[in-house]
Amino acid sequence: MSFVRIARPLSGTGAVRRFVNKITCISARAIHSTPPASQAAAAAAVESSTQSIARTPIEWSSKTTDLVSRLREQQKYYATVVIKGRPFTVTQNDIIVMDRIKDLELGDSLALNQVTELGSRDYTIKGQPFVDPSLFRIEATVIEHPDGKQFTVTKKKQRTAHQKITYHRNYYTMLRVALIDVSSFEK
């Protein structure tokens, strides 16, 4: 029998932003759809400008490569991932229950890039404020868009017959962490 751990936010509620911050959405519908002519021209201009800028690979020190190789030898990893401004501590096959992200559909895959801490039982890499994305690969898949339970909100004025009843329901997105992997350095 296998147990599934549900990841909850670490602290506080925080302000929820309306956009997905630093989350790369890899969607089948986005790959196979053809953009309109104006978007295609803009995308071609961006591609040509990014191709002209040559990115140099990061040169890591021998101490850093040694520490990352020690972390890589461990069996299980955990990561503290920031999604929509809220931190979640997750391991592989965890389920993240978070506020609804409207842009995602079932089966969409996300590459989670904002990681503040990556580690195992013995070793930990802490970012300042984030760990460099070239050191790891974390992917999550959308598995469900559940609705929360309905709350009744009653507002009443004293010494009058005025009473107002409203209802409220939260909407969530459930993500399953499919992969947590620490990159290896080529020597």
Side-chain angles (χ1 to χ4, degrees), residues 136-153:
F136 63 88
R137 197 170 102 207
I138 300 176
E139 292 180 3
T141 306
V142 178
I143 56 172
E144 193 176 352
H145 287 297
D147 296 341
K149 68 177 188 176
Q150 188 174 17
F151 295 101
T152 304
V153 180

Side-chain angles (χ1 to χ4, degrees), residues 8-17 80-89 96-99 114 172:
R8 302 264 182 221
L10 289 180
S11 62
T13 57
V16 178
R17 298 181 189 150
T80 302
V81 180
V82 177
I83 305 172
K84 290 178 71 173
R86 299 178 78 178
F88 295 91
T89 299
I96 302 172
V97 179
M98 55 180 292
D99 293 330
Q114 281 194 337
Y172 300 104

